[in-house]
Amino acid sequence: MTETIYRVSLIIDDLELLPHSEGTIYEIIDGKLFVTRTPHRRHQQICGRIFSYLNNWSESTGNGETIITPGIIFSDADNVIPDVVWVSQERLAQIEDEAGHLTAAPELVLEVISFGK
């Protein structure tokens, strides 16, 4: 007997069908769904400090913008929410859509790694 295995590949529109509860983060990478909880307080503090330093530098130089937890939509089957990004003004004009999402990689993407249970 031959067993058939069906693999489901999700796209960004499928996220609308999922329950939205505070503290749940959905990301799709290569059509696979990744579900995580809101990070620990310490994780958020570290992200905030990184954002603050980069944002102060960005404001003083005018070179770009620092964004905390932006949506980056590479394709219908690839969209992520990194912790902090920095993008130059020039690149931002090229990759930001009307909804305020980034549609390509910014110059700097930071993901703070936290130990989980």
Side-chain angles (χ1 to χ4, degrees):
M1 177 182 214
T2 304
E3 187 176 319
T4 303
I5 298 174
Y6 295 97
R7 298 192 193 279
V8 176
S9 184
L10 299 178
I11 61 171
I12 193 167
D13 293 338
D14 294 326
L15 294 178
E16 296 302 319
L17 304 173
L18 299 173
H20 292 285
S21 60
E22 188 171 326
T24 302
I25 299 168
Y26 298 110
E27 296 177 294
I28 298 176
I29 301 172
D30 196 25
K32 295 177 186 80
L33 178 65
F34 291 83
V35 181
T36 56
R37 296 183 321 202
T38 302
H40 186 275
R41 170 193 58 80
R42 185 76 179 128
H43 176 102
Q44 299 298 75
Q45 286 177 316
I46 292 167
C47 292
R49 286 184 182 143
I50 292 169
F51 172 84
S52 182
Y53 290 130
L54 279 174
N55 195 54
N56 288 340
W57 175 79
S58 293
E59 287 183 356
S60 69
T61 63
N63 288 337
E65 290 190 29
T66 309
I67 308 167
I68 197 159
T69 62
I72 302 178
I73 302 171
F74 293 107
S75 71
D76 282 346
D78 288 295
N79 55 82
V80 295
I81 306 170
D83 290 322
V84 181
V85 303
W86 183 88
V87 60
S88 67
Q89 297 293 352
E90 180 181 336
R91 180 110 174 111
L92 184 59
Q94 297 169 354
I95 67 172
E96 185 176 36
D97 68 12
E98 303 80 37
H101 297 111
L102 304 181
T103 59
E107 286 91 345
L108 180 64
V109 176
L110 297 160
E111 188 69 32
V112 175
I113 305 300
S114 298
F115 295 103
K117 289 187 175 185

